[in-house]
Amino acid sequence: MLCASLALGSSMISGCVSGASGSRTQIVWGRRGFSDGRFLKPRAIAISPADELFIVDTTGRIQVFDVDGNFQRSWKTPDTENGRPTGLAVETPPGPNSVPNLLVADTHYYRTLAYTLSGDLCRDKQIGGVAGHSPGEFAFVTDTVCDQEGCFYIGEYGDSDRIQKFDPERNFLTQWGGTGNEHGQFVRPQSLVVRDQVLWVADACNHRIQCFDIREETPKLINVFGREGDAAGEFYYPYDLAFASDGTLIVCEYGNQRLQRFTPEGKWIATWGAPGFQPGQLYQPWGVVVDSQDRVHVLDSNNHRVQRLALFS
């Protein structure tokens, strides 16, 4: 047990934090509600190069915070009747004068939306919008990421557990995957991350991580690790991925309600968190990001809050 002082909103809470690693929880912020700074089951989190946190919840609101949990601004996605987004990523296009955009997996509208980081919708940068199985059509979109060449990778689940790739002008290039548990197939590829010409995929319902070399015309599978379970190195619905500056990987597990840290090769390093409602515990978390100071921010979804901790080992 570790004793810590925790900031919750504008107040401080002192208490003992239980975790599988020795990492201290630094702050806990947010609570259930509809006003600024509150959440209703937040479902995705992204971080900008300037360390701004973007969070979308089941109201369809995108709220922006600094790394201490201070509210900055917000806006809503244009349509929410069919469902709300479940994926966010900050796109940093190639080029010295490029301007980042926020990519929103508008899951139940079969598309990816793009916003400026101040909240302006870029209608000319939308990808998709039509339900279907053909190239450029989508089932339920889970996540969209961009590589260093400006190409886009979009995951989807439902009848089309696959990933589609688009060029910087948003023209279809290729697709791969399909529903199944063989290597290279997916069952809900929930989260995507590009790092060092490798696409990392949280293959959520197969309880594993798959890695693809994206230098190939059709990305080539190069590593698979994890299996269903709750032991170290096993997964139960991994929903999100993030990298620390040293190249280690943080995996957020919705089912096991914890974080795990791995080497780039998939070797387990440490575990943090446990089911519960206290600081240092999680209730069905959906997302994780790492900021420029290697602090980990976990989206503690069904506790309607965010927890920040030091990189755990």
Side-chain angles (χ1 to χ4, degrees), residues 3-285:
C3 292
S5 293
L6 304 173
L8 182 55
S10 60
S11 61
M12 299 294 293
I13 295 177
S14 296
C16 291
V17 178
S18 176
S21 79
S23 183
R24 182 185 299 271
T25 304
Q26 296 176 339
I27 61 172
V28 180
W29 55 272
R31 58 186 296 186
R32 191 179 191 279
F34 297 91
S35 58
D36 291 347
R38 297 190 180 191
F39 305 109
L40 189 65
K41 295 182 179 179
R43 291 295 170 86
I45 184 171
I47 192 166
S48 75
D51 275 351
E52 284 191 316
L53 301 173
F54 296 79
I55 297 173
V56 64
D57 68 6
T58 55
T59 68
R61 289 181 306 163
I62 297 170
Q63 297 187 76
V64 186
F65 302 87
D66 67 19
V67 289
D68 295 319
N70 297 305
F71 175 83
Q72 306 294 303
R73 58 192 178 278
S74 69
W75 65 90
K76 284 196 70 171
T77 53
D79 303 292
T80 58
E81 183 177 349
N82 293 347
R84 287 79 175 183
T86 61
L88 296 177
V90 173
E91 165 207 8
T92 304
N97 299 315
S98 61
V99 177
N101 289 311
L102 181 70
L103 303 176
V104 180
D106 200 9
T107 306
H108 301 277
Y109 289 90
Y110 323 110
R111 65 191 180 186
T112 292
L113 302 175
Y115 289 88
T116 67
L117 298 191
S118 60
D120 297 321
L121 179 62
C122 306
R123 296 187 181 277
D124 60 327
K125 295 183 178 182
Q126 176 177 311
I127 302 176
V130 175
H133 306 284
S134 299
E137 299 175 344
F138 295 96
F140 297 118
V141 177
T142 56
D143 204 8
T144 303
V145 294
C146 185
D147 67 18
Q148 64 185 31
E149 306 299 326
C151 294
F152 299 89
Y153 303 81
I154 302 179
E156 56 186 293
Y157 78 98
D159 294 332
S160 304
D161 288 285
R162 63 180 176 176
I163 295 172
Q164 297 189 60
K165 181 179 179 180
F166 297 81
D167 69 17
E169 286 70 46
R170 293 160 173 77
N171 300 305
F172 173 84
L173 291 176
T174 191
Q175 63 182 346
W176 75 97
T179 305
N181 56 20
E182 299 297 325
H183 288 184
Q185 295 181 318
F186 308 105
V187 181
R188 189 165 182 157
Q190 178 61 37
S191 180
L192 315 178
V193 175
V194 173
R195 182 180 174 90
D196 297 332
Q197 298 293 316
V198 174
L199 178 69
W200 299 71
V201 181
D203 188 10
C205 297
N206 279 324
H207 314 288
R208 65 189 180 187
I209 308 300
Q210 299 199 65
C211 308
F212 298 86
D213 184 342
I214 56 175
R215 295 173 296 181
E216 305 284 339
E217 183 175 348
T218 297
K220 177 184 177 182
L221 182 68
I222 56 174
N223 193 18
V224 180
F225 63 93
R227 62 180 182 182
E228 183 175 351
D230 59 8
E234 297 178 338
F235 300 116
Y236 195 50
Y237 299 106
Y239 264 21
D240 203 9
L241 309 169
F243 280 94
S245 62
D246 63 359
T248 57
L249 177 70
I250 309 297
V251 179
C252 174
E253 293 178 76
Y254 175 87
N256 280 328
Q257 304 177 104
R258 65 183 181 182
L259 304 177
Q260 294 193 76
R261 185 180 176 196
F262 295 87
T263 69
E265 296 74 33
K267 181 181 178 181
W268 178 86
I269 298 173
T271 297
W272 180 91
F277 312 101
Q278 300 302 312
Q281 298 178 331
L282 301 168
Y283 183 18
Q284 296 177 342

